[in-house]
Amino acid sequence: MAGKKKSSFLSRLLITYLIAALIPLFCIISVFFYLKWQSGKREMQNTTSYAAELLSVQLEAIRDTMSFISLNIMSNEEFIPAAEGLTHEENSSYAKATDYSSMVGAISSYSYNNASYRIVFFNDEGYYMTNEAYNRNYSYTYRLPEGFIEKYDWTETARNNYGSEILLPISDSILPNVEEEGLALVRSVRNPGRVVGFLAVQLSEENLSQLLEVGELYGIELMICYKNSILYKSNDF
């Protein structure tokens, strides 16, 4: 028992170190404002510059948190083997139910259910699970509709980028069975070279709205960019 706890601690410590080491490699999220008011322009520019910096730091911290959550879930010793088990047609219903239950346990821990993030896993076979309400609305017998994956173009990128994370534009149609707008970080789950599913961590709509209210607060238009992608753009930008 002590050996397992030590191994788990070292695993989490290693993941934390890797994330800290990789942060400098990522482009800081850029936030741009368009001034709607001409009066007091210089003072307004100073205010919006400060707001942009603050929002950029907050968004970068959110991205780091979502990245850590996804890596921490995949470091669970049962998660990836169970994800692969769900793809084996020859496995018995009992084996698949056991694998499904192990995965739900990994993404629905108390800490994740009391956080501001929605966690979703699904695979090509249509298996689906979420940390919302401890996954009570779904079970290992539930399947997403046939051909559903064609609606999500990002899965093809994730399938071919060797498990690297992708930050998706804010939308209400980027994840299966999710109708709220949210900022989501996604990645493929591999074991080790074969894709066995997709894992998403999404900031809830309520928490995202609180961040984006800065535009209304200062009467400005807002655009959020990450690397070469526009994550969000207000209507009149």
Side-chain angles (χ1 to χ4, degrees):
M1 181 68 72
K4 287 185 178 179
K5 288 184 177 179
K6 182 177 181 182
S7 175
S8 177
F9 172 78
L10 290 175
S11 175
R12 294 188 181 204
L13 185 62
L14 177 60
I15 290 173
T16 304
Y17 170 78
L18 287 173
I19 291 175
L22 285 172
I23 286 174
L25 299 180
F26 289 98
C27 296
I28 298 298
I29 294 175
S30 301
V31 179
F32 302 95
F33 289 121
Y34 171 73
L35 298 181
K36 292 198 296 186
W37 300 338
Q38 292 300 314
S39 59
K41 189 172 182 180
R42 180 173 296 179
E43 181 181 349
M44 196 61 187
Q45 283 177 333
N46 292 336
T47 301
T48 53
S49 293
Y50 171 76
E53 280 186 42
L54 182 60
L55 185 55
S56 180
V57 169
Q58 290 176 320
L59 288 168
E60 189 69 15
I62 288 168
R63 187 201 65 81
D64 290 343
T65 300
M66 293 192 294
S67 180
F68 174 79
I69 290 173
S70 65
L71 289 171
N72 195 43
I73 289 172
M74 291 197 298
S75 73
N76 182 297
E77 60 184 2
E78 296 181 343
F79 185 80
I80 293 181
E84 182 178 20
L86 290 180
T87 68
H88 293 167
E89 293 184 6
E90 68 276 11
N91 284 3
S92 66
S93 295
Y94 175 79
K96 289 185 176 181
T98 301
D99 287 335
Y100 187 91
S101 179
S102 296
M103 296 180 68
V104 170
I107 71 171
S108 300
S109 70
Y110 179 81
S111 58
Y112 295 146
N113 274 283
N114 285 272
S116 303
Y117 299 94
R118 174 185 293 108
I119 302 169
V120 168
F121 172 88
F122 60 93
N123 64 12
D124 290 320
E125 287 72 24
Y127 286 96
Y128 180 90
M129 63 190 70
T130 176
N131 67 326
E132 288 189 293
Y134 294 94
N135 200 56
R136 292 192 188 98
N137 296 325
Y138 304 97
S139 72
Y140 86 97
T141 61
Y142 173 83
R143 298 290 186 278
L144 291 165
E146 186 176 350
F148 78 95
I149 209 155
E150 297 174 4
K151 297 179 181 179
Y152 306 101
D153 296 340
W154 61 263
T155 57
E156 197 59 31
T157 302
R159 199 185 300 277
N160 295 293
N161 72 354
Y162 304 100
S164 297
E165 63 188 38
I166 303 170
L167 204 58
L168 298 178
I170 294 170
S171 171
D172 60 0
S173 58
I174 54 175
L175 297 175
N177 294 347
V178 176
E179 297 180 353
E180 293 183 357
E181 281 195 343
L183 176 67
L185 181 145
V186 297
R187 66 192 338 138
S188 62
V189 179
R190 310 171 73 92
N191 188 33
R194 177 171 170 259
V195 174
V196 295
F198 301 93
L199 182 65
V201 182
Q202 184 182 47
L203 182 68
S204 68
E205 183 177 32
E206 179 182 355
N207 287 275
L208 176 64
S209 296
Q210 291 174 0
L211 282 175
L212 299 181
E213 280 176 358
V214 67
E216 291 183 28
L217 180 63
Y218 291 106
I220 51 183
E221 298 301 328
L222 173 66
M223 183 168 70
I224 301 173
C225 300
Y226 180 70
K227 295 185 177 179
N228 296 320
S229 300
I230 296 176
L231 301 182
Y232 172 81
K233 185 168 65 172
S234 53
N235 293 334
D236 296 327
F237 195 94

